[in-house]
């Protein structure tokens, strides 16, 4: 058999019966799943996400959601096609066994794969002392649930809001707070706002 | 219904705003804010707004089928 034929057969076999697991059920994970189906992958597709929500859009969380105009659970992403995936939402992937090709989940389940895509994105950097980070009124902003929490806290009209970090998110929150008539203090280790985001001056 | 606006692409032309004023709003002079999951009754307005965007930054879900859940 010619090599080209052999490869074509393997590709066809994989597209029909292969197993692809995507870890991360946000924008990148969803669009990757849609792209795989668009490209003719008809095998088993599993999408794992640690949050219970189906894929949602994050940029509105620091803007219209905090302002109180749009609810935190109303930013679900549009789908460009059906992805026919098995969704494992609300359970985090905790480890990876590369030799047996399995993803282990926080609830002990194992998910086998032929190909794995890690699309877990980034996360907010929490306050370094976990006990202090758990104090009431200390909030990080990355997820929809955190946005709901922060929106409620701002709506309660606090006397002053301290924002640690003057990157995009910190600056946006500061802007929303001012729109809401709240006093704000922003702490930033760089010389000015948005330095880490690429603005030198 | 579900929409998403690519804010990296959006240049603040604001052509869309008057076509669906309850879904799309300007915050200040050029920052666009929008309702990502507006009511289905606004679909026609939103489709017109999306079509009006000079840089095609508005993506509207066009799936006819019921979305899969679970």
């Amino acid at each position: 058999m010619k090599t080209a034929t052999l490869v074509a057969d393997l590709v066809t076999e994989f597209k029909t019966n292969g197993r692809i697991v995507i870890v991360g059920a946000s924008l990148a994970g969803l669009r990757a799943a849609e792209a795989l189906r668009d490209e003719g992958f008809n095998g088993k597709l599993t999408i794992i996400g640690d949050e219970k929500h189906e894929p949602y859009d994050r940029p509105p969380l620091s803007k219209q959601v905090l302002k109180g105009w749009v609810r935190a659970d109303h930013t679900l992403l549009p789908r460009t096609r059906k992805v026919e995936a098995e969704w494992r939402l609300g359970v985090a992937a905790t480890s990876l066994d590369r030799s047996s090709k399995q993803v282990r989940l926080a609830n002990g389940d194992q998910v086998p794969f032929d190909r794995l895509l890690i699309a877990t994105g980034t996360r907010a950097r929490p306050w370094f002392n976990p006990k202090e980070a758990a104090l009431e009124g200390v909030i990080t902003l990355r997820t929809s649930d955190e946005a709901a929490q922060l929106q409620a806290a701002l709506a309660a009209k606090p006397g002053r809001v301290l924002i640690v970090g003057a990157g995009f998110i910190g600056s946006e929150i500061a802007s929303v707070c001012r729109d809401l008539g709240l006093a704000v203090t922003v702490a930033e280790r760089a010389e000015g706002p948005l330095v880490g985001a690429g603005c030198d001056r | 219904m579900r929409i998403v606006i690519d804010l990296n692409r959006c240049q603040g032309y604001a052509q869309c705003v008057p076509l669906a004023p309850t879904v799309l709003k300007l915050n200040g002079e050029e920052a666009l804010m929008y309702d990502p999951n507006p009511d289905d009754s606004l679909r026609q307005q939103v489709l017109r707004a999306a079509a009006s965007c000079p840089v095609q930054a508005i993506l509207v879900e066009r799936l006819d089928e019921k979305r899969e859940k679970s």
Side-chain angles (χ1 to χ4, degrees):
Chain A
M1 194 186 279
K2 280 185 188 165
T3 313
T5 321
L6 186 63
V7 169
D9 283 353
L10 284 172
V11 169
T12 307
E13 162 64 16
F14 178 72
K15 281 188 167 181
T16 312
N17 296 315
R19 297 165 304 179
I20 296 181
V21 170
I22 299 174
V23 181
S26 194
L27 180 63
L30 172 65
R31 295 295 181 240
E34 291 171 340
L36 285 167
R37 292 303 192 205
D38 274 344
E39 295 295 322
F41 177 70
N42 292 312
K44 186 169 168 53
L45 188 56
T46 306
I47 304 175
I48 300 167
D50 61 348
E51 292 180 62
K52 63 181 187 293
H53 311 287
E54 57 177 305
Y56 60 86
D57 199 24
R58 294 183 197 275
L61 298 181
S62 54
K63 308 176 182 69
Q64 48 269 53
V65 169
L66 289 189
K67 277 202 165 185
W69 174 34
V70 171
R71 280 175 42 175
D73 59 356
H74 273 55
T75 76
L76 296 175
L77 279 167
R79 307 292 182 88
T80 62
R81 57 161 299 137
K82 290 187 86 164
V83 292
E84 312 281 1
E86 182 184 347
W87 294 86
R88 302 293 304 261
L89 299 177
V91 53
T94 50
S95 66
L96 174 61
D97 185 337
R98 292 180 68 180
S99 55
S100 67
K101 293 199 164 184
Q102 307 244 5
V103 176
R104 246 176 250 113
L105 306 185
N107 64 3
D109 283 1
Q110 307 225 23
V111 185
F113 64 84
D114 299 312
R115 291 285 186 277
L116 174 72
L117 175 67
I118 300 175
T120 46
T122 181
R123 67 184 67 177
R125 193 182 311 166
W127 186 252
F128 51 87
N129 178 324
K131 265 188 192 163
E132 293 168 5
L135 290 172
E136 194 188 336
V138 180
I139 299 168
T140 54
L141 180 56
R142 174 72 190 162
T143 68
S144 166
D145 292 347
E146 287 164 347
Q149 205 185 342
L150 181 54
Q151 191 275 322
L154 297 182
K157 300 267 170 227
R160 179 165 288 273
V161 180
L162 170 62
I163 298 167
V164 180
F168 273 121
I169 303 297
S171 300
E172 281 183 332
I173 298 171
S175 169
V176 168
C177 288
R178 292 306 301 135
D179 283 347
L180 294 173
L182 300 171
V184 183
T185 302
V186 181
E188 166 58 51
R189 66 179 172 179
E191 289 168 23
L194 298 172
V195 169
C199 306
D200 285 343
R201 290 276 175 273
Chain B
M1 64 183 294
R2 301 176 178 190
I3 64 169
V4 68
I5 297 179
D6 184 340
L7 294 175
N8 289 318
R9 202 180 272 189
C10 174
Q11 300 295 317
Y13 289 100
Q15 304 285 310
C16 58
V17 174
L19 294 168
T22 58
V23 179
L24 304 143
K25 296 177 184 179
L26 271 190
N27 189 37
E29 290 194 352
E30 56 181 30
L32 187 73
M33 291 212 307
Y34 62 101
D35 180 351
N37 296 163
D39 193 83
D40 282 336
S41 64
L42 299 166
R43 188 168 187 84
Q44 211 50 41
Q45 283 188 22
V46 171
L47 287 176
R48 286 200 185 106
S52 79
C53 178
V55 293
Q56 295 292 289
I58 306 174
L59 173 70
V60 181
E61 183 168 274
R62 289 164 186 274
L63 290 190
D64 297 320
E65 319 93 316
K66 258 252 179 267
R67 275 185 301 272
E68 60 181 304
K69 296 284 176 187
S70 86

